[in-house]
Amino acid sequence: MNANVTVVGQLARDLVLVLDSVLPEVGASGAVRERREQLGGKGANQAVALAQLGARPTLVAVAGDDPFGDVLLEQARADGIDVSAVVRRSATATGLIVEVLQEPNRWRYLEHLPEPVLLSAGDVTQADRAFGTAEAVLVQLQQPEEAVLAATRRAANADALVVLDGAAPDRARDELLALADVVRADAVEARTLTGADSPQQLEVAAADLVRAGPRVAALAFAEGNVFAWRGPGPNVETLTLPFGDEKVVDTTGAGDALVAALTVALLRGVPVPDAARFAVAAAGATVGHPGGRPALLGLG
């Protein structure tokens, strides 16, 4: 099943610097062991993962009108992503995310994502065609609230599977939860969204989220993920899945792979427990290399 999936989120130039040692002190220099420059940002990472899993992704995002934007869009096309809905903002530099990684999994991000490279409600409206044929729409809540609301409403009106990634802003929380089919939050976002941080607390919080509107909730904690979904009748079921025993080099992008895989599995009609396990496996397949670019070919 090659589903049409629209991703509303960030596109950026990803620069990953892997260090052999600690960061140099102020006024000193240090050696970089490995350097990767690639298509990145949460939206692009999710779109790449979707394409690798057999979906047909369309990306709604903003790139600058600089040469880096040209390069990233060409990479996205090569990855099988429809970029016709990507806005090219004039007189704007494409967003930049620098990751400094000290193995294992000790990362720092330096981000240059000013307002011009974030989506506006107008950008979402102009991307109307991207929603018309979408069977699922992934909306990243790290984008401005007006754009998030516009995209979520448009997806719900199109009767697409609405997948929200992040912590809903307080003012729009009730409406977003009512419109969502799936809600996903990483460990930091899950604490912001629910106030819970232990697996036991998150099981209760995830079940409460499902009762508030979504049919599936996926909340991360330090050692794994909690999934909740609507069972038969009024019942809400939960499943806690710890992380696997994969060697962890860098957790960057693991959540993006999880969201993409969960979406693909649900579109295929896979029962939620099996979809959850598939999503966690996709996250595990992403943590073994530096940077957030997914590596899911062959997984689906």
Side-chain angles (χ1 to χ4, degrees), residues 62 89 115 118-126 143-144 146-148 150:
V62 179
R89 195 85 79 206
E115 184 176 351
L118 302 179
L119 285 162
S120 69
D123 296 330
V124 173
T125 300
Q126 291 177 17
Q143 292 291 305
E146 295 77 9
V148 164

Side-chain angles (χ1 to χ4, degrees), residues 189-214:
E189 294 163 342
R191 285 194 295 273
T192 300
L193 185 63
T194 69
D197 54 11
S198 72
Q200 296 77 16
Q201 292 173 338
L202 283 172
E203 284 184 9
V204 175
D208 288 342
L209 280 176
V210 170
R211 293 186 185 98

Side-chain angles (χ1 to χ4, degrees), residues 73-163:
L73 292 183
E74 185 58 35
Q75 175 62 68
R77 294 186 189 97
D79 283 322
I81 301 168
D82 182 343
V83 295
S84 61
V86 172
V87 176
R88 299 300 301 270
R89 195 85 79 206
S90 62
T92 297
T94 298
L96 172 66
I97 301 173
V98 178
E99 178 187 358
V100 180
L101 176 65
Q102 297 170 264
E103 295 184 297
N105 196 33
R106 296 175 60 200
W107 47 259
R108 295 175 173 86
Y109 299 147
L110 302 172
E111 301 180 342
H112 184 242
L113 301 173
E115 184 176 351
V117 297
L118 302 179
L119 285 162
S120 69
D123 296 330
V124 173
T125 300
Q126 291 177 17
D128 189 68
R129 189 181 66 82
F131 295 89
T133 60
E135 295 163 67
V137 177
L138 280 55
V139 181
Q140 289 155 18
L141 302 184
Q142 300 83 0
Q143 292 291 305
E145 183 177 318
E146 295 77 9
V148 164
L149 282 168
T152 305
R153 290 166 180 162
R154 181 66 183 84
N157 287 338
D159 202 26
L161 182 79
V162 180
V163 181

